[in-house]
Amino acid sequence: MIKEFRDFLLRGNLVELAVAFVMGLAFAALITSFVNDLIMPIVAMIIGKPDFSGLTFTINDAVFRYGAFVTAAITFVSTAAAIFFFVVKPMDALTSRRPQREEEPIAEEERRHQELLAALEGLRR
């Protein structure tokens, strides 16, 4: 049982997942810093405040903290824009420059086998 557990822990997928998780956390910290330290000061220059958490209104002793929502919405939009413009678009540009791998031609016999399998699958339904 211990050998199986060791094999489970050292399986490639689990290690890759752990690395991806750690990289995701580091990337999230980077994007959070980018938004808080670079984008929100620009928002503060334009609007006057970098943080709207103090904005509230009260109805019958119920306090509505709409400012926190506004701050979260600005942070979300800024984070999404940062990821789109600094990660997604550059990665799309890099992948479009790579030569596309051409599909290997399928042998005639293999093509017939695939057609027969598709026909049998259609009969099963």
Side-chain angles (χ1 to χ4, degrees):
M1 189 180 326
I2 292 176
K3 182 182 180 305
E4 289 177 273
F5 182 67
R6 184 197 65 188
D7 292 343
F8 167 73
L9 289 179
L10 297 178
R11 192 180 319 174
N13 294 342
L14 186 63
V15 173
E16 290 173 7
L17 180 63
V19 169
F21 181 75
V22 171
M23 291 301 297
L25 287 176
F27 185 71
L30 178 70
I31 294 297
T32 301
S33 176
F34 176 77
V35 169
N36 290 338
D37 300 332
L38 298 175
I39 302 296
M40 291 308 276
I42 293 171
V43 170
M45 285 182 353
I46 296 169
I47 298 175
K49 289 183 177 182
D51 186 14
F52 304 104
S53 300
L55 300 176
T56 63
F57 67 89
T58 306
I59 299 175
N60 293 337
D61 295 330
V63 178
F64 294 89
R65 293 171 178 33
Y66 72 94
F69 176 75
V70 170
T71 300
I74 291 172
T75 302
F76 172 76
V77 170
S78 301
T79 302
I83 289 172
F84 180 74
F85 289 113
F86 296 116
V87 177
V88 173
K89 291 305 279 183
M91 287 304 295
D92 286 347
L94 283 175
T95 55
S96 68
R97 289 183 189 160
R98 292 170 102 191
Q100 298 298 322
R101 194 173 131 200
E102 294 182 22
E103 292 185 22
E104 296 177 14
I106 299 174
E108 182 65 27
E109 185 177 342
E110 180 65 25
R111 186 185 58 75
R112 281 185 296 180
H113 285 236
Q114 289 177 357
E115 288 173 356
L116 286 171
L117 285 172
L120 288 173
E121 184 69 29
L123 289 175
R124 254 188 5 189
R125 291 183 185 167

